[in-house]
Amino acid sequence: MLQKKVAAIHDISCFGKCSLTVALPIISAAGIETAVIPTAVLSTHTGGFSGYTFRDLTEDILPVANHWKKENITVDAIYTGYLGSKEQIEIVKDAIKIIKKEGGLTIVDPVMADNGKLYGGFPEDFPIEMKKLCETADIITPNITEAAFMLDIPYKPAPYTKEYIEDMVVKLSEITNGAVVLTGVCFQKDKMGAAIYDGKEISYVFSNYVEAAYHGTGDIFTSTLVCGVLNNKSLIESAQIASDFTASCIKLTKENYPEMKYGVNFEAKIPELIKKLGL
Ligand code: PXL
């Protein structure tokens, strides 16, 4: 069988496992060729470190896509995450048109906020622009904060009511043609997971909640979801695998390595992921 190919469009945070340093190893381990278009290069991610370097790569995105086109390189799926500037949103939409195979999938993780706050460096109107990228996606994977900001509804901390989550999921499905996977869903203290809505029915997946707030866990979740979907699992099954894998990485890390900004030890759990994916 021909190997599937995904283009991951995220930043490189040189230290502090997240974005491309998470997407590349996880998706590659699932047998999928992972090409990359870096949106920016930072010395570390922006959560918890000060004085990080930031090189914006807005000007490189379309030349990379156009070069691939000249070489007849197209991809089965695009997976976008942290973008380096507001201007990149329109540019990434154009790049997707250039490099995605006909019938290919676009997975948009609107990475920009968590715990009720925008990440450092993003302007207040970034969520309005990010909404435009979500419109074009086949699957979006916002967390609760990102969803609240894009929908302009109040952010609430966990635990949630079913009404709050289901209203959010239905409103999200109105801003995208694709399916919604809302992460960080928690109705009771000991379970955390995601709500999945394909326009017909809302489903839930949950895993045991481990109390910790490590960086990069959203990127681990969506990277794993991409592995499931591209290995022909259903969206619900992929979300369950992603939720379980993320929880398992957090649990292992919490037992051994308490510095939240350094990210989780997902590497040790990759064999477990391969088993979960049935590879
Ligand atoms: O994991 C999300 C993420 C990705 N990239 C950068 C970040 C963050 C979250 O803080 O700062 C640069």
Side-chain angles (χ1 to χ4, degrees):
M1 205 174 63
L2 212 59
Q3 189 185 19
K4 287 200 182 147
K5 208 185 297 148
V6 58
I9 308 182
H10 307 239
D11 72 288
I12 298 176
S13 285
C14 298
F15 183 83
K17 294 179 261 187
C18 68
S19 40
L20 280 182
T21 62
V22 161
L24 250 176
I26 290 180
I27 302 171
S28 299
I32 297 150
E33 180 177 349
T34 313
V36 300
I37 304 186
T39 58
V41 179
L42 296 83
S43 50
T44 64
H45 62 68
T46 65
F49 296 97
S50 58
Y52 49 82
T53 68
F54 185 99
R55 184 165 302 276
D56 175 56
L57 295 176
T58 303
E59 285 179 13
D60 291 304
I61 296 173
L62 282 177
V64 171
N66 282 321
H67 180 216
W68 290 5
K69 186 180 178 185
K70 235 171 88 189
E71 297 287 339
N72 291 319
I73 297 161
T74 54
V75 295
D76 301 283
I78 313 274
Y79 163 31
T80 74
Y82 183 100
L83 303 184
S85 68
K86 212 164 68 178
E87 293 66 44
Q88 284 189 6
I89 290 170
E90 279 306 311
I91 290 172
V92 165
K93 277 165 72 174
D94 290 340
I96 292 171
K97 285 187 204 138
I98 295 168
I99 62 176
K100 191 174 72 168
K101 260 186 204 152
E102 226 185 287
L105 268 185
T106 303
I107 298 117
V108 172
D109 188 358
V111 175
M112 59 187 158
D114 205 0
N115 299 313
K117 282 202 207 101
L118 270 179
Y119 293 143
F122 285 129
E124 287 251 314
D125 60 346
F126 196 80
I128 298 169
E129 294 300 313
M130 188 52 102
K131 229 165 111 171
K132 296 181 190 161
L133 185 57
C134 288
E135 273 169 22
T136 66
D138 298 296
I139 303 171
I140 62 170
T141 62
N143 62 31
I144 306 275
T145 307
E146 290 154 350
F149 286 2
M150 287 196 291
L151 297 172
D152 200 19
I153 60 178
Y155 163 78
K156 290 183 189 168
Y160 301 104
T161 61
K162 248 191 161 173
E163 291 72 44
Y164 183 72
I165 295 299
E166 300 202 344
D167 175 60
M168 202 168 237
V169 159
V170 169
K171 285 186 173 138
L172 283 168
S173 78
E174 287 162 9
I175 65 164
T176 178
N177 293 322
V180 174
V181 179
L182 178 66
T183 65
V185 173
C186 170
F187 295 131
Q188 61 191 75
K189 243 176 47 202
D190 57 339
K191 297 278 174 203
M192 169 77 92
I196 300 105
Y197 187 49
D198 57 4
K200 292 187 206 99
E201 201 181 343
I202 301 176
S203 310
Y204 293 95
V205 297
F206 289 104
S207 309
N208 289 333
Y209 178 56
V210 188
E211 200 175 340
Y214 286 99
H215 262 88
T217 50
D219 299 326
I220 290 177
F221 178 93
T222 305
S223 298
T224 310
L225 185 89
V226 168
C227 296
V229 170
L230 290 185
N231 277 297
N232 305 314
K233 308 265 178 227
S234 73
L235 188 57
I236 297 173
E237 206 181 338
S238 302
Q240 184 70 65
I241 293 170
S243 176
D244 289 344
F245 180 63
T246 308
S248 174
C249 296
I250 297 171
K251 182 167 182 284
L252 172 73
T253 309
K254 196 177 174 194
E255 283 158 9
N256 299 290
Y257 192 49
E259 182 55 82
M260 308 272 177
K261 69 183 178 201
Y262 292 171
V264 297
N265 182 357
F266 68 87
E267 295 91 337
K269 291 286 178 183
I270 281 183
E272 187 179 299
L273 172 63
I274 302 308
K275 264 196 220 126
K276 283 186 204 295
L277 289 166
L279 297 173

